[in-house]
Amino acid sequence: MTSPRVAVAAPNVAAAEAGVRLASEGGNAVDAALAATLVMMVNEIGVVSPAAGGFVTVQPPGGDPVTIDGWVEMPGRGLPPERFGRGVWDIETEYGGGTTTTVGHGSVATPGALKALDLAHQRYGRAPWHEVVRPAVEIAHSGFPLGPTSAYYLGYTHDIIFGWHEPSHAVVHDKTGAVLTTGSTVVIPHLAESLQLIADIGASALYTGELAELIADDMAEREGILTREDLAAYQAVVRPALTVEQNGWRLATNPPPAVGGVAVAAMLALLDGVPAAGGWTAAELRRLVDVQHAVLGQRLAELDAEDERLLAGRNVLELARAGDLRALGSPSTATVSVVDDSGDACAVTVSSGYGSGAMTPGTGIWLNNALGEQELLAGGVHSLPPGTRLTSNMAPTVARRSHDGAVLAIGSPGSDRIPTALAQTYALFAHGRMPLREAVEYPRLHVRVRSDITVDHEEDLTLPALDLPTRAMPPHSMYFGGVAAALWEPTTGLTVAGDPRRTGATAISSG
């Protein structure tokens, strides 16, 4: 069987090359996306790890699109009430303009990303699983240069988040105690062996195997609430993707109960046909601001109960599709996008939050602090019943064009800027018919809804007169996300675009 060619957009060169390598070894777009994701779980330290949560959206050549939900859950099964509310403390950092988050073993949620990757491979992959994991094992074994995104983040957090737990401190500091800088060689003890277990037996190694035992034991000793029962009970969930049909494209994104895809779909429903050609006109920019204000004003991410989010999400979409703006008025991630020339598309977005600072001894695996992302748990760090999926703004997205079978994969990091970055890029590409790379690089805005409302924008985007206050930022500001997009068209072949707002890499396999 001839191997398909792939286009890969990923956070770094090693991840992009891993995706191309899988295609050369007989894999498809899904295999390539999973391999790239596993590599970035190794070398995007401080941003994401194997104990992350995430989502995988797949458009198979001959079927309907799905999203595999591997997002984090509230842990604590089997624990008495007095165990909750412990093992956590708040820290403040100047990262991102000022952030308060909760760290410690008690901030760790049940991770799900590896289960989602494994399930995506079982359903849609073509290469053997151990080959998909192999590039990550090799990089973990040999070491890797610290990338600029990780170095920038560690510059703010190396002590207050990653310095309090000795196994973690030893990785991010040199022998003199100084934080590692861009280009420093990083070797994480035990991580290659942990990944080899995952390569040999699958994601179950983290949930019921030796790694699960090590994690649960460390949690019990340090007032964490993640238990063996939580890990063993976790299951990735396959959901029909949330779809929007416009301009001959069928876009598929992350469905409820997550809120990121809902926001993308709602914005695009309200932006149908806008922009009409190329970039935004003054009137179209006013419409874009109104749409973002309307959708983000719903504040869906503040709802805690899964059923409430599901109902709220459906209501937003119904209102958005009716075009009633008046009715609508009211942490660190990493992404990979891959398409192949057989018509597969796969987008993956994963996150470990800001990081708990805990690294389970003997594993080399940093643990998430999803329970400490205060913007996502309005009721407090341990406020949800065990087993509840947390909310998420992530929205890995794929699309297929009806008349010729062209496919697009697109995703972005950026917290609440994820939906606005994706909606603007997709609208410019599909509605305005702007070339993909130009659409990714085009200046952006974001309506920031907090206690007050401000239109943040890149200064090279000239805004018309608005009724809301504005805040200008430098061109290609990291604040506005980092869209990774890959496209296959039957007539022109493979195209890939990385966002200059973030350090990233792109690659296309050879014929």
Side-chain angles (χ1 to χ4, degrees):
M1 182 183 296
T2 302
S3 299
R5 296 179 64 227
V6 299
V8 183
N12 58 71
V13 172
E17 289 179 346
V20 168
R21 169 177 165 180
L22 258 292
S24 70
E25 294 173 351
N28 58 13
V30 175
D31 297 313
L34 302 184
T37 300
L38 287 160
V39 166
M40 76 182 184
M41 285 178 167
V42 173
N43 65 7
E44 290 289 317
I45 67 173
V47 178
V48 68
S49 79
F55 300 89
V56 182
T57 301
V58 179
Q59 173 62 74
D64 292 327
V66 302
T67 294
I68 301 177
D69 179 349
W71 189 228
V72 297
E73 285 185 348
M74 176 71 188
R77 288 176 173 85
L79 295 180
E82 60 267 23
R83 282 291 306 278
F84 294 86
R86 300 162 64 179
V88 294
W89 60 93
D90 289 350
I91 63 96
E92 295 182 3
T93 171
E94 292 304 311
Y95 174 76
T99 298
T100 300
T101 191
T102 304
V103 300
H105 283 74
S107 71
V108 180
T110 310
L114 277 178
K115 274 286 184 80
L117 301 186
D118 197 340
L119 184 56
H121 177 262
Q122 292 174 36
R123 290 175 65 107
Y124 302 108
R126 197 165 80 174
W129 171 254
H130 66 90
E131 294 297 334
V132 173
V133 186
R134 185 188 298 275
V137 174
E138 292 175 353
I139 287 171
H141 184 267
S142 63
F144 53 89
L146 184 68
T149 299
S150 291
Y152 178 77
Y153 182 55
L154 291 174
Y156 290 96
T157 60
H158 65 99
D159 275 333
I160 56 176
I161 294 180
F162 297 98
W164 63 266
H165 196 209
E166 178 53 34
S168 172
H169 183 280
V171 173
V172 301
H173 297 87
D174 64 22
K175 293 179 180 179
T176 71
V179 64
L180 299 181
T181 56
T182 300
S184 301
T185 299
V186 181
V187 178
I188 304 174
H190 309 294
L191 182 56
E193 292 82 359
S194 296
L195 290 168
Q196 189 61 57
L197 281 174
I198 293 165
D200 291 341
I201 65 175
S204 60
L206 189 71
Y207 294 88
T208 57
E210 178 183 341
L211 299 178
E213 295 294 312
L214 290 169
I215 291 171
D217 288 346
D218 185 52
M219 283 283 148
E221 291 174 7
R222 293 179 172 266
E223 297 188 318
I225 63 170
L226 177 59
T227 66
R228 288 173 175 80
E229 291 83 355
D230 294 316
L231 290 166
Y234 188 91
Q235 295 296 325
V237 179
V238 180
R239 308 184 194 276
L242 181 62
T243 59
V244 176
E245 297 194 21
Q246 292 179 333
N247 285 50
W249 286 87
R250 185 191 192 201
L251 178 138
T253 189
N254 195 6
V259 297
V262 173
V264 171
M267 289 177 195
L268 288 173
L270 290 163
L271 288 170
D272 195 7
V274 176
W280 310 96
T281 66
E284 289 169 343
L285 281 171
R286 291 190 189 94
R287 174 67 174 174
L288 177 62
V289 169
D290 287 345
V291 164
Q292 289 191 17
H293 186 191
V295 174
L296 298 179
Q298 284 284 336
R299 306 297 288 273
L300 293 180
E302 293 183 2
L303 299 175
D304 280 336
E306 239 172 305
D307 287 344
E308 289 179 22
R309 293 200 304 274
L310 182 63
L311 292 173
R314 287 174 176 168
N315 186 49
V316 164
L317 288 180
E318 290 167 1
L319 293 170
R321 285 171 177 154
D324 190 346
L325 282 175
R326 292 168 300 172
L328 278 168
S330 83
S332 298
T333 50
T335 193
V336 169
S337 299
V338 184
V339 297
D340 66 35
D341 58 7
S342 296
D344 285 296
C346 183
V348 184
T349 306
V350 292
S351 175
S352 293
Y354 297 104
S356 66
M359 175 182 280
T360 303
T363 68
I365 296 175
W366 267 297
L367 303 176
N368 68 74
N369 83 319
L371 300 183
E373 292 192 78
Q374 298 177 6
E375 64 271 28
L376 299 182
L377 282 104
V381 65
H382 293 164
S383 58
L384 301 178
T388 303
R389 284 286 208 276
L390 273 63
T391 191
S392 174
N393 286 313
M394 292 190 284
T397 300
V398 297
R400 169 171 285 161
R401 191 161 56 199
S402 57
H403 78 269
D404 64 355
V407 287
L408 171 73
I410 187 170
S412 178
S415 188
D416 60 347
R417 278 87 65 200
I418 292 172
T420 57
L422 293 178
Q424 286 172 86
T425 302
Y426 181 82
L428 288 164
F429 169 72
H431 303 171
R433 294 178 174 81
M434 186 177 285
L436 184 62
R437 184 175 300 279
E438 291 182 27
V440 168
E441 296 180 356
Y442 202 82
R444 292 186 198 138
L445 63 80
H446 172 76
V447 177
R448 180 164 50 91
V449 179
R450 299 289 188 271
S451 56
D452 58 357
I453 300 170
T454 303
V455 180
D456 297 329
H457 67 98
E458 292 175 320
E459 61 189 13
D460 50 346
L461 182 66
T462 302
L463 296 183
L466 300 171
D467 295 330
L468 295 170
T470 63
R471 180 175 66 159
M473 295 185 178
H476 291 157
S477 170
M478 180 178 176
Y479 173 83
F480 293 95
V483 172
L487 171 70
W488 173 71
E489 298 176 286
T491 54
T492 58
L494 295 164
T495 303
V496 65
D499 200 325
R501 295 168 182 85
R502 303 270 177 131
T503 57
T506 60
I508 296 176
S509 59
S510 59

